[in-house]
PDB file of all heavy atoms in Angstrom:
ATOM      1  N   GLY F   9     -15.038  16.515  -8.207  1.00 97.00           N
ATOM      2  CA  GLY F   9     -13.708  15.936  -8.262  1.00 97.00           C
ATOM      3  C   GLY F   9     -12.640  17.001  -8.434  1.00 97.00           C
ATOM      4  O   GLY F   9     -12.922  18.170  -8.681  1.00 97.00           O
ATOM      5  N   GLN F  13      -4.325  16.930  -1.862  1.00 98.00           N
ATOM      6  CA  GLN F  13      -3.152  16.327  -1.252  1.00 98.00           C
ATOM      7  C   GLN F  13      -3.547  15.133  -0.397  1.00 98.00           C
ATOM      8  O   GLN F  13      -4.686  15.038   0.072  1.00 98.00           O
ATOM      9  CB  GLN F  13      -2.414  17.352  -0.402  1.00 98.00           C
ATOM     10  CG  GLN F  13      -1.810  18.492  -1.191  1.00 98.00           C
ATOM     11  CD  GLN F  13      -1.005  19.434  -0.322  1.00 98.00           C
ATOM     12  OE1 GLN F  13      -1.127  19.428   0.902  1.00 98.00           O
ATOM     13  NE2 GLN F  13      -0.180  20.251  -0.946  1.00 98.00           N
ATOM     14  N   SER F  21     -20.710  15.113  -5.650  1.00 98.00           N
ATOM     15  CA  SER F  21     -22.149  15.239  -5.769  1.00 98.00           C
ATOM     16  C   SER F  21     -22.649  14.437  -6.958  1.00 98.00           C
ATOM     17  O   SER F  21     -21.962  14.313  -7.970  1.00 98.00           O
ATOM     18  CB  SER F  21     -22.559  16.703  -5.960  1.00 98.00           C
ATOM     19  OG  SER F  21     -22.161  17.500  -4.868  1.00 98.00           O
ATOM     20  N   VAL F  65     -12.777   1.924   2.215  1.00 96.00           N
ATOM     21  CA  VAL F  65     -13.211   3.289   2.470  1.00 96.00           C
ATOM     22  C   VAL F  65     -14.016   3.428   3.754  1.00 96.00           C
ATOM     23  O   VAL F  65     -14.343   4.563   4.153  1.00 96.00           O
ATOM     24  CB  VAL F  65     -14.022   3.854   1.284  1.00 96.00           C
ATOM     25  CG1 VAL F  65     -13.214   3.756  -0.005  1.00 96.00           C
ATOM     26  CG2 VAL F  65     -15.355   3.133   1.131  1.00 96.00           C
ATOM     27  N   ASP F  74     -29.641  14.429  -0.086  1.00 93.00           N
ATOM     28  CA  ASP F  74     -30.410  15.646   0.091  1.00 93.00           C
ATOM     29  C   ASP F  74     -31.660  15.493  -0.758  1.00 93.00           C
ATOM     30  O   ASP F  74     -31.618  15.662  -1.980  1.00 93.00           O
ATOM     31  CB  ASP F  74     -29.610  16.878  -0.320  1.00 93.00           C
ATOM     32  CG  ASP F  74     -30.315  18.179   0.020  1.00 93.00           C
ATOM     33  OD1 ASP F  74     -31.555  18.221   0.015  1.00 93.00           O
ATOM     34  OD2 ASP F  74     -29.608  19.177   0.294  1.00 93.00           O
ATOM     35  N   ASN F  78     -32.563  16.488  -4.681  1.00 96.00           N
ATOM     36  CA  ASN F  78     -32.518  15.279  -5.490  1.00 96.00           C
ATOM     37  C   ASN F  78     -31.071  14.890  -5.813  1.00 96.00           C
ATOM     38  O   ASN F  78     -30.732  14.542  -6.948  1.00 96.00           O
ATOM     39  CB  ASN F  78     -33.323  15.452  -6.783  1.00 96.00           C
ATOM     40  CG  ASN F  78     -33.925  14.157  -7.279  1.00 96.00           C
ATOM     41  OD1 ASN F  78     -34.318  13.289  -6.497  1.00 96.00           O
ATOM     42  ND2 ASN F  78     -34.014  14.011  -8.602  1.00 96.00           N
ATOM     43  N   MET F  84     -15.555  12.381   1.247  1.00 98.00           N
ATOM     44  CA  MET F  84     -14.318  11.611   1.284  1.00 98.00           C
ATOM     45  C   MET F  84     -13.316  12.344   2.158  1.00 98.00           C
ATOM     46  O   MET F  84     -12.971  13.497   1.890  1.00 98.00           O
ATOM     47  CB  MET F  84     -13.760  11.408  -0.121  1.00 98.00           C
ATOM     48  CG  MET F  84     -14.759  10.773  -1.087  1.00 98.00           C
ATOM     49  SD  MET F  84     -14.022  10.371  -2.693  1.00 98.00           S
ATOM     50  CE  MET F  84     -13.609  12.021  -3.267  1.00 98.00           C
ATOM     51  N   ASP F 103     -32.834  -3.119  -5.916  1.00 82.00           N
ATOM     52  CA  ASP F 103     -31.869  -3.074  -4.831  1.00 82.00           C
ATOM     53  C   ASP F 103     -30.766  -4.079  -5.115  1.00 82.00           C
ATOM     54  O   ASP F 103     -30.737  -5.188  -4.576  1.00 82.00           O
ATOM     55  CB  ASP F 103     -32.547  -3.363  -3.498  1.00 82.00           C
ATOM     56  CG  ASP F 103     -33.376  -2.197  -3.007  1.00 82.00           C
ATOM     57  OD1 ASP F 103     -33.337  -1.121  -3.621  1.00 82.00           O
ATOM     58  OD2 ASP F 103     -34.070  -2.366  -1.984  1.00 82.00           O
ATOM     59  N   PRO F 105     -26.785  -5.587  -5.513  1.00 90.00           N
ATOM     60  CA  PRO F 105     -25.532  -5.548  -4.764  1.00 90.00           C
ATOM     61  C   PRO F 105     -24.671  -4.374  -5.200  1.00 90.00           C
ATOM     62  O   PRO F 105     -24.799  -3.876  -6.322  1.00 90.00           O
ATOM     63  CB  PRO F 105     -24.865  -6.887  -5.119  1.00 90.00           C
ATOM     64  CG  PRO F 105     -25.984  -7.772  -5.554  1.00 90.00           C
ATOM     65  CD  PRO F 105     -26.969  -6.865  -6.230  1.00 90.00           C
TER      66      PRO F 105
END
Side-chain angles (χ1 to χ4, degrees):
Q13 294 184 344
S21 299
V65 304
D74 187 329
N78 210 34
M84 305 186 296
D103 286 353

